[in-house]
Amino acid sequence: MKKVDLKQIEHDVKVGDICGTIEPNVTEDSIFYFEGKPIGFYIADLSKNFQKAAQLADIADKELRSKRVPKSVMKRSSGFGDGNEDKEVLQYSTIIGSVPPKPHMRRPYATISSVHNVKTAQTFIKAMLLLCLESEKIIKEITPDLYVEQKKIISENVSKKWRFGNLFTSSISNYNIPAPFHRDAGNLVGCANVIIAKRKNSTGGHTTVPDYGATVNSADNSMLVYPAWRNVHGVTPIIPTFEDGYRNTLVFYPLKAFKGIE
């Protein structure tokens, strides 16, 4: 894999800024280093060397796009820009695994996503959990120090009850959802997220990190391991090139909200 030494650069991007279209400059298998330490990596196509993970991602993606899995619809948007409502694409997400306390919503306690109670969603949940475990194996193989450090942080801060796999607490699948610049401040410091992309007939949806001038290609079957708490980052606009075009990300992440909760 290519070694990429990340260097801090100056920029004027702030949290909340809209992320515009940016072409990716990270397109090949790479390990990311910062100050001599590996902090993440990118695999352009899981199907080449990690077929099991690619197959599980295919299953999860197919199930998510079916009517069997409950979703939170974000809004409707058209990537075609011609005002034709028939060409509009849905934006939605599904969270599984552990959900942190939300006192402002009159739920001052942690819980497991209600999707786990939906009978028709069980194939999706199983595929995502197995994909999570395969992702952990890949992290252990490519960046063993990162794996050991994250496992230690999780074991010290998160009860087994609230873990999704061994290195995470939760998962979200984002369908056709770009993102303004933000920082995942709710994540455990020292840990990384996994972002696996599935797409068809679409462009964009790349993760961009202004601190390093890096924009990672969201290719079909790609896997990005990245410490999302560390830097401000955004996701570029997703534009379908045909009516069935979409880009979906299967994400695993570790939240600090479960620290001390049994």
Side-chain angles (χ1 to χ4, degrees), residues 47-65:
S47 67
K48 290 183 177 179
N49 297 300
F50 303 99
Q51 290 86 359
K52 185 174 181 180
Q55 290 168 359
L56 289 165
D58 282 343
I59 295 170
D61 176 57
K62 181 180 178 180
E63 288 297 311
L64 180 74
R65 291 184 290 112

Side-chain angles (χ1 to χ4, degrees), residues 159-223:
S159 169
K160 288 183 179 180
K161 177 181 179 179
W162 305 115
R163 296 177 198 172
F164 194 82
N166 302 297
L167 302 182
F168 309 96
T169 61
S170 317
S171 173
I172 188 169
S173 297
N174 289 320
Y175 183 88
N176 284 337
I177 300 178
F181 286 100
H182 65 285
R183 186 195 302 266
D184 291 20
N187 285 15
L188 279 166
V189 172
C191 294
N193 290 9
V194 168
I195 305 166
I196 295 172
K198 294 297 301 177
R199 70 184 312 143
K200 177 183 178 184
N201 295 335
S202 65
T203 63
H206 311 302
T207 299
T208 185
V209 187
D211 279 355
Y212 307 131
T215 301
V216 183
N217 190 24
S218 182
D220 187 45
N221 279 328
S222 64
M223 174 177 171

